[in-house]
Amino acid sequence: MIGPPPGTRVYLACGVIDMRAGMDRLSTLVQQSLGANPFDGAVYLFRGRRGRSLKALWHDGVALSLLVRRLEHGHFPWPMTSTGSVTLSPAQASLLLEGLEWRSVQREWRPTAA
């Protein structure tokens, strides 16, 4: 999976959406619910009710793109907050897009002596 490039702002829209929503509906949600500009170069992620699929809305400076990702097993870990959105780093977004837990990443054990 190709993740967002370093420096990209990634926002999760907390809650669920109707996965039938297209670019126009999602960009309206970004403007009205999140109070953000969908054409500012950030990636906005939305999750379906079952948690197995998500949609990413991204404007690259030329055109608006809508990407869909669906997991065959499991679900995307998603927060529920009162603010309406959560900001992720590109590394956290890459973990999320793989279906991995992005909130509590633990480094692997490293030896302390040779």
Side-chain angles (χ1 to χ4, degrees):
M1 172 68 199
I2 299 171
T8 303
R9 296 177 322 277
V10 180
Y11 300 99
L12 295 181
C14 297
V16 295
I17 62 153
D18 182 355
M19 289 304 286
R20 296 174 292 180
M23 283 186 216
D24 296 331
R25 176 74 179 124
L26 293 177
S27 60
T28 301
L29 280 173
V30 169
Q31 289 175 334
Q32 294 177 351
S33 299
L34 305 178
N37 180 4
F39 308 107
D40 65 357
V43 176
Y44 298 93
L45 299 175
F46 303 89
R47 188 181 88 155
R49 184 165 305 281
R50 294 184 195 155
R52 290 184 38 201
S53 58
L54 65 79
K55 287 190 174 185
L57 188 68
W58 175 55
H59 191 272
D60 63 358
V62 176
L64 191 63
S65 299
L66 182 62
L67 306 143
V68 179
R69 182 136 172 105
R70 185 180 69 199
L71 293 176
E72 295 300 321
H73 299 286
H75 67 278
F76 291 103
W78 212 259
M80 296 295 172
T81 66
S82 60
T83 61
S85 69
V86 173
T87 305
L88 297 181
S89 70
Q92 288 173 321
S94 293
L95 289 171
L96 173 71
L97 292 172
E98 291 294 331
L100 300 173
E101 180 57 54
W102 56 270
R103 293 172 279 201
S104 60
V105 178
Q106 300 290 328
R107 291 192 183 270
E108 290 186 27
W109 178 82
R110 293 184 183 167
T112 56

